């Protein structure tokens, strides 16, 4: 299998003309990444410790050794951050999509049940939160099958969406092979789009790294909760202004160990409480967007 060809044009100057349900113009997708327990750790047979997306500045992989500080930061996400973000979403009455690493949720079944009970969507974020770029196709397929089976067992329903993040050239084709209705391993548009995968039309719901709390753990990035909230406000303001001409989509990425910290969670709450008052904004799950797009703009035959 090969990676898809590049497309520098997309919709071009003429974007699709439509309105989201209820005549709204901006679909806002809140994505919560549940990765805690799926990251690289020698206890799970990995060759090195985790290095990415924690508050441990300058962390580097330790070959054959644990990084207890990084591990502890990840544990905060499942022990505390999960419940704080879950309660915040309930308070704001906002449905979310959880990008769930199956081996992470497997370590905390109560969290899996709480996500489903709250009415949120569960998308597979892979069997492990690792870089699949150099993983061979057969191993990635095995991981994908296992992830879907585990999430179906934990959550009572098989995911219809996929997001790996650190993809291989085979990831999208494998997701199609497993019957996924959409994936979010794209960052190249503000609207869903159809793409050809092995002669089949497949739906992509682009994701975002700019409206994403991972920027607290990368440079250049967000230094304070106000940096994050202000970026979210300005993004929504721009999209609402453009929404006078064309409907669009906004993705917000959260991580339990990052946005789940009190100061950041409070800034996020203030933004969500304000944004949900706008009559032209539709807060929704990614599966809702996929269903809408499939009905409004069916795949070409």
């Amino acid at each position: 299998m090969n990676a898809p060809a590049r497309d520098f044009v997309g919709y071009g100057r003429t974007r699709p003309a439509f309105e989201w349900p209820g005549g709204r113009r901006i679909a806002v997708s809140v994505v919560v990444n549940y990765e805690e327990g799926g990251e690289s750790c020698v206890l799970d047979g990995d060759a090195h410790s985790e290095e990415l997306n924690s508050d441990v500045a300058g962390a580097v992989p330790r070959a054959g050794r644990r990084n207890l500080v990084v591990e502890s930061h990840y544990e905060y996400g499942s022990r505390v951050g999960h419940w704080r973000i879950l309660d915040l979403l309930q308070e704001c009455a906002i449905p979310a999509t959880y990008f769930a690493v199956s081996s992470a949720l497997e370590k905390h079944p109560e969290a899996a049940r709480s996500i489903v009970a709250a009415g949120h969507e569960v998308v597979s974020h892979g069997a492990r939160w690792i870089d699949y770029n150099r993983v061979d196709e057969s191993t990635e397929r095995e991981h994908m099958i296992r992830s879907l089976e585990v999430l179906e067992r934990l959550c009572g329903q098989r995911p219809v969406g996929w997001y790996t993040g650190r993809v291989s050239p085979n990831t999208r084709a494998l997701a199609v092979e497993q019957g996924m209705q959409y994936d979010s391993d794209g960052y190249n548009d503000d609207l869903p789009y159809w793409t050809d995968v092995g002669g089949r039309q497949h739906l992509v719901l682009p994701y975002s790294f700019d409206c994403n709390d991972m920027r607290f753990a990368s440079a250049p990035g967000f230094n304070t909760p106000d940096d994050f909230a202000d970026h979210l406000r300005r993004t929504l303001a721009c999209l609402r202004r453009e929404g006078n001409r064309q409907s669009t989509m906004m993705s917000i990425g959260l991580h339990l160990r990052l946005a789940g910290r009190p100061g950041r969670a409070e800034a996020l709450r203030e933004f969500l409480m304000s944004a949900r008052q706008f009559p032209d904004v539709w807060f929704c799950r990614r599966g809702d967007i996929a269903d809408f797009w499939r009905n409004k703009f069916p795949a070409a035959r």
Side-chain angles (χ1 to χ4, degrees):
M1 298 180 184
N2 297 310
R6 301 184 70 183
D7 179 359
F8 292 95
V9 178
Y11 290 113
R13 187 64 170 169
T14 305
R15 311 286 282 177
F18 71 99
E19 292 181 339
W20 297 109
R24 287 164 288 193
R25 306 305 297 257
I26 315 299
V28 178
S29 166
V30 175
V31 173
V32 184
N33 291 268
Y34 196 110
E35 300 164 342
E36 288 75 8
E39 77 279 7
S40 294
C41 180
V42 297
L43 296 179
D44 293 320
D46 297 309
H48 56 79
S49 62
E50 186 56 66
E51 60 179 312
L52 295 178
N53 288 1
S54 77
D55 282 317
V56 184
V60 295
R62 297 179 177 178
R65 297 169 53 214
R66 298 171 65 184
N67 187 327
L68 299 181
V69 177
V70 171
E71 288 180 18
S72 189
H73 275 258
Y74 270 76
E75 289 164 11
Y76 183 91
S78 59
R79 291 164 59 118
V80 181
H82 167 67
W83 303 111
R84 178 171 290 129
I85 295 298
L86 194 71
D87 289 346
L88 187 157
L89 292 171
Q90 181 179 13
E91 180 187 5
C92 297
I94 288 176
T97 294
Y98 277 69
F99 286 173
V101 175
S102 60
S103 60
L105 271 187
E106 214 169 12
K107 293 180 173 70
H108 197 344
E110 184 184 2
R113 293 191 292 268
S114 69
I115 293 168
V116 175
H120 303 302
E121 175 192 17
V122 176
V123 161
S124 178
H125 193 2
R128 299 291 312 286
W129 192 67
I130 59 175
D131 190 348
Y132 280 88
N133 180 51
R134 296 187 181 275
V135 174
D136 64 86
E137 181 182 339
S138 61
T139 299
E140 186 175 6
R141 178 183 288 108
E142 291 173 6
H143 282 206
M144 192 171 285
I145 292 172
R146 181 165 77 246
S147 176
L148 293 169
E149 290 176 345
V150 167
L151 291 177
E152 183 173 14
R153 172 171 54 82
L154 291 174
C155 303
Q157 53 193 15
R158 180 181 172 86
V160 299
W162 188 271
Y163 177 74
T164 292
R166 293 184 278 181
V167 299
S168 82
N170 303 311
T171 301
R172 177 160 292 157
L174 288 172
V176 172
E177 177 184 284
Q178 295 305 314
M180 296 296 96
Q181 296 179 16
Y182 74 90
D183 78 65
S184 289
D185 279 313
Y187 313 88
N188 49 357
D189 215 301
D190 291 327
L191 286 176
Y193 61 88
W194 294 98
T195 189
D196 181 87
V197 180
R200 299 173 58 181
Q201 289 293 294
H202 175 67
L203 187 61
V204 178
L205 271 62
Y207 188 42
S208 166
F209 278 177
D210 73 301
C211 292
N212 195 309
D213 66 1
M214 64 181 281
R215 301 295 297 275
F216 283 112
S218 63
F222 302 129
N223 289 319
T224 71
D226 286 342
D227 291 340
F228 183 38
D230 186 57
H231 186 76
L232 296 180
R233 281 192 295 268
R234 287 174 181 267
T235 298
L236 185 57
C238 176
L239 295 178
R240 292 186 66 223
R241 175 172 50 79
E242 294 177 351
N244 293 325
R245 305 187 310 272
Q246 57 195 25
S247 296
T248 190
M249 173 182 167
M250 175 181 176
S251 296
I252 300 173
L254 308 174
H255 297 75
L256 302 173
R257 60 196 175 277
L258 296 174
R261 292 285 177 173
R264 297 166 184 162
E266 188 65 15
L268 175 65
R269 177 186 177 278
E270 292 167 0
F271 167 78
L272 293 177
M273 281 295 196
S274 173
R276 65 190 292 269
Q277 305 301 319
F278 295 129
D280 54 350
V281 172
W282 178 40
F283 278 98
C284 53
R285 302 168 299 184
R286 295 179 93 75
D288 300 325
I289 295 174
D291 289 343
F292 171 89
W293 204 262
R294 192 176 297 106
N295 292 326
K296 183 72 174 179
F297 301 104
R301 296 185 182 277

